[in-house]
Amino acid sequence: MELQSLTAISPIDGRYRAKLAGLSDYFSELAFIRYKVRVEIEYFIALCQSGIPALRGVSADLFEPMRDLYRGFRLEDGQRVKEIEAVTNHDVKAVEYFIKERFDALDPSLKAAKEYVHFGLTSQDINNSAFPMMLRDALQNEVINGYDAVIGKLQEFVAEWSGIAMLARTHGQPASPTTLSKEIRVYVARLDRQMEILRGLPYYGKFGGATGNMNAHYVAFPETDWHEFAADFLADQLELERAYPTTQISHYDNLSVVFDNLKRLNTILLDLCIDVWLYVSMEYFGQKTVAHEVGSSAMPHKVNPIDFENAEGNLGIANALLDHLSRKLPVSRLQRDLTDSTVLRNVGVAVSHSFLALLSLEKGLDKLTVNRARIAADLENNWAVVAEALQTILRRENYPNPYETLKDLTRGKGKVDAATMRAFIDGLDVSEAVKQEMRAISPSNYIGAE
């Protein structure tokens, strides 16, 4: 069966393909091959510039045409690599042979020099440089923008909803009032901190030969400081720091830091989705309707918070994958086993579910409206929450047993309203000035400072 959106097994490449098409430039098989070609080409150019005698004849004029092999990498090029891989049964060796083919067509002078493609390397020098670049570029060019868009919308809410008093709920029960803007600002502060960390995280590449010691390089050219060469190459050409020392593979600790940071961001957003869903169910929030959309196949009145539910679901899937990536990748038998290879190919799936959640969340936030009347009514219906304020003032005035006095008035009793509180205050043995101070307190103004 031909692969298309309706026949794809994964919803990432099926139902949601149109929304996630931009991530294909970083996490598809074609993208992975392109990044591997980039590492191999840049490494070959760096060798040419290193002074190796056999490469002195390679003209610097050929460097940019070489780079065009990955800059202009096409679907047909990827298909050719896969044809070679079908014979070699090795993805990186197929990339090496593909580049050698292209070198033959590029310039006859590269015939002898082309044997320095992949010189002294193992496949993980290529893969463990390509993957960090793919993840870095996807986050910086696509995903971080999604997080920023959500944070930006929340910041707009903080400004727009400033001063709206709201009943808080701790353990699901009415609690001391707060403000809607402050509750949103809590999420902004949490997300800002994690975004600051994410933006500052370095990305590392592994470059050290078959077991990390540059053995082949040193046996061929012992006079060259190959460890320094590797560090400079990664930094200057690929904008990666060098992970050293390593075994045959990257130890992945640094990628785990990225995955764990994304998990924390997603967990904060999942918390937000649940809270917004609850506020919608409490009618604190309304949702703008869209013409021709339906909320239920049976109930015409329904306007469901589906965007927040979709976001919550995708955040959960993303975090399950990110958690596995974070815990599994740093573990490898002795100098290397192959379990990292297949697991690593799912990084794009985890990031895609995160990004899909961001799109849903941004869409849902755009639909929100504030039901000020419902919020105000809930405050007015819960005068018992000012008990904290009254007993605190009584403590200040050295009134006997203030906590217990308010507890007897409010805890587990029937409706406590403004009249109840006024009668209670009127009966207190305190000065009239203190009574006036207490009478001025209401659920709508007992909000502290934002």
Side-chain angles (χ1 to χ4, degrees), residues 314-372:
N314 279 292
L315 289 167
I317 293 173
N319 275 11
L321 290 169
L322 290 167
D323 183 65
H324 181 66
L325 290 164
S326 177
R327 289 187 294 108
K328 186 274 152 298
L329 287 173
V331 179
S332 182
R333 295 170 182 85
L334 302 180
Q335 281 67 54
R336 193 275 149 93
D337 67 44
L338 199 63
T339 54
D340 65 310
S341 180
T342 188
V343 170
L344 202 59
R345 289 176 182 271
N346 289 279
V347 170
V349 180
V351 174
S352 293
H353 279 288
S354 298
F355 193 64
L356 186 59
L358 292 170
L359 296 177
S360 295
L361 189 49
E362 184 181 3
K363 182 180 178 182
L365 292 173
D366 280 337
K367 293 180 182 178
L368 289 183
T369 61
V370 177
N371 188 342
R372 293 174 183 252

Side-chain angles (χ1 to χ4, degrees), residues 86-113:
V87 178
T88 63
N89 197 31
H90 196 288
D91 58 340
V92 175
K93 202 65 180 177
V95 168
E96 176 188 342
Y97 288 165
F98 167 79
I99 292 173
K100 287 179 177 179
E101 281 185 357
R102 293 298 188 264
F103 275 13
D104 285 340
L106 187 61
D107 193 278
S109 66
L110 295 174
K111 183 176 182 180

Side-chain angles (χ1 to χ4, degrees), residues 166-180:
M166 181 183 78
L167 184 70
R169 293 183 184 271
T170 57
H171 307 280
Q173 306 303 306
S176 298
T178 182
T179 64
L180 181 55

Side-chain angles (χ1 to χ4, degrees), residues 177-194:
T178 182
T179 64
L180 181 55
S181 60
K182 192 231 68 177
E183 297 308 311
I184 299 299
R185 198 166 75 243
V186 169
Y187 285 104
V188 173
R190 294 171 67 187
L191 292 166
D192 278 346
R193 176 57 184 146
Q194 296 307 316

Side-chain angles (χ1 to χ4, degrees), residues 383-385 387 405-414 416 421:
W383 268 81
V385 298
T405 301
L406 269 298
K407 175 184 172 185
D408 290 342
L409 175 69
T410 59
R411 190 170 191 264
K413 301 297 192 294
V416 176
M421 283 301 181

Side-chain angles (χ1 to χ4, degrees), residues 34-175:
R34 184 179 74 249
Y35 273 89
K36 286 187 281 192
V37 171
R38 177 181 173 183
V39 176
E40 292 278 17
I41 291 293
E42 291 296 345
Y43 171 62
F44 180 84
I45 292 173
L47 286 177
C48 291
Q49 295 170 327
S50 71
I52 290 176
L55 297 178
R56 288 173 182 163
V58 178
S59 171
D61 292 340
L62 293 174
F63 293 167
E64 291 308 308
M66 290 177 190
R67 290 187 169 111
D68 287 339
L69 293 179
Y70 67 80
R71 289 171 178 163
F73 199 76
R74 303 165 301 167
L75 177 61
E76 293 80 5
D77 297 323
Q79 290 170 334
R80 177 54 187 154
V81 173
K82 298 303 289 185
E83 289 172 359
I84 299 172
E85 184 182 343
V87 178
T88 63
N89 197 31
H90 196 288
D91 58 340
V92 175
K93 202 65 180 177
V95 168
E96 176 188 342
Y97 288 165
F98 167 79
I99 292 173
K100 287 179 177 179
E101 281 185 357
R102 293 298 188 264
F103 275 13
D104 285 340
L106 187 61
D107 193 278
S109 66
L110 295 174
K111 183 176 182 180
K114 70 181 182 181
E115 287 307 317
Y116 279 84
V117 175
H118 201 69
F119 174 77
L121 300 182
T122 186
S123 60
Q124 289 308 100
D125 295 314
I126 306 304
N127 290 336
N128 289 161
S129 298
F131 251 108
M133 285 196 296
M134 292 163 62
L135 178 60
R136 176 198 66 201
D137 293 351
L139 293 180
Q140 292 179 353
N141 297 334
E142 297 283 344
V143 181
I144 284 178
N145 294 334
Y147 285 110
D148 284 342
V150 169
I151 295 170
K153 189 63 181 176
L154 294 177
Q155 289 171 328
E156 291 178 15
F157 289 162
V158 169
E160 182 182 346
W161 299 340
S162 178
I164 299 178
M166 181 183 78
L167 184 70
R169 293 183 184 271
T170 57
H171 307 280
Q173 306 303 306

Side-chain angles (χ1 to χ4, degrees), residues 5 32 36 60 98 102 167 187 205 241 254 281 303 353 361 430 438:
S5 61
F32 188 24
K36 286 187 281 192
F98 167 79
R102 293 298 188 264
L167 184 70
Y187 285 104
E241 296 187 29
N254 304 298
S281 73
V303 185
H353 279 288
L361 189 49
V430 294
M438 297 173 77

